[in-house]
Amino acid sequence: MRRILEFFRREEGVTLPEMMVGMALGLVVGSVLLTGTIALFRTQTFTTQDSEALIALRVSLDRMEREVRQARRMYSDSTATAAHFWVDYDRDNQQDLGEKITWSVVTVGAEAELHRKTDTAGATPKVIAREFVGPAASPAPPAIFSYCMDATPRVNPCTNGKPATPNAGAATVIRITFTADSVPAVRAPRRTVETEVRLRNASAP
């Protein structure tokens, strides 16, 4: 029994330098783990916000595409940021004010909004989507709306992001390009969706 007690008495504890080295290693490992956790969280947040931006663009594009496809006529006052057209919803061949529709991208502060409005007296624009990249952004995005005629060869082709042309009133095809920042607070890379729509029921001006 005495020998056992003497053995334990001779055992030395952890020295101060050893303790300091252990604490330093623990801090290094903890710092690495914390940095990795923060990076993973930021990546997940970015991915979520990026997906939300892309979904918002596609939903807006699909909604406008469906309406434009039914249009009977594109008006000559359409521009690169506003598409003005007529959809004969009641099929009476009359251009009622409620059937004259304008989709536009309007700059609001540092961002832009997608609006839809009819020509009805007193009608106010309805905000369809926010956080779009407007024409005043730097660098400027491609033309939001561009117009062409469904001819062979095409006149004023819609491809390559060409701006609206003076003959928008004769257009039978419109190219729609929507752009948004995936994460507005960080100014992450932009996301763009586009399509080319033929006015299925287009008639002569």
Side-chain angles (χ1 to χ4, degrees), residues 29-160:
V29 173
S31 176
V32 171
L33 291 175
L34 180 61
T35 302
T37 302
I38 293 174
L40 181 62
F41 176 76
R42 287 179 176 174
T43 300
Q44 183 177 3
T45 302
F46 171 82
T47 301
T48 300
Q49 293 177 324
D50 182 54
S51 298
E52 290 174 352
L54 194 56
I55 290 172
L57 285 175
R58 287 176 174 166
V59 169
S60 302
L61 184 68
D62 289 345
R63 183 171 177 180
M64 182 178 179
E65 181 181 357
R66 285 195 301 269
E67 197 159 49
V68 170
R69 200 175 298 279
Q70 301 177 64
R72 292 284 302 275
R73 177 183 176 187
M74 189 69 63
Y75 292 113
S76 59
D77 60 352
S78 297
T79 67
T81 58
H84 188 200
F85 53 91
W86 166 46
V87 180
D88 191 12
Y89 280 118
D90 56 12
R91 302 177 183 274
D92 64 352
N93 206 34
Q94 300 295 317
Q95 299 183 39
D96 304 322
L97 293 179
E99 298 175 337
K100 295 181 178 181
I101 302 162
T102 300
W103 284 73
S104 59
V105 173
V106 181
T107 300
V108 180
E111 300 290 345
E113 296 177 347
L114 178 65
H115 291 183
R116 181 189 181 278
K117 180 181 178 295
T118 67
D119 286 7
T120 304
T124 56
K126 181 179 180 181
V127 179
I128 304 300
R130 291 184 170 86
E131 297 180 357
F132 270 44
V133 176
S138 180
I144 299 166
F145 305 122
S146 49
Y147 312 88
C148 64
M149 298 176 65
D150 195 14
T152 305
R154 281 188 170 178
V155 180
N156 301 313
C158 296
T159 54
N160 300 323

Side-chain angles (χ1 to χ4, degrees), residues 17-29:
E18 290 174 341
M19 184 179 296
M20 294 180 66
V21 170
M23 291 177 62
L25 290 175
L27 287 174
V28 171
V29 173

Side-chain angles (χ1 to χ4, degrees), residues 1-13:
M1 184 67 179
R2 184 180 299 175
R3 292 181 178 179
I4 295 175
L5 291 176
E6 290 178 355
F7 172 79
F8 280 107
R9 286 172 185 167
R10 289 198 302 268
E11 286 294 309
E12 297 181 355

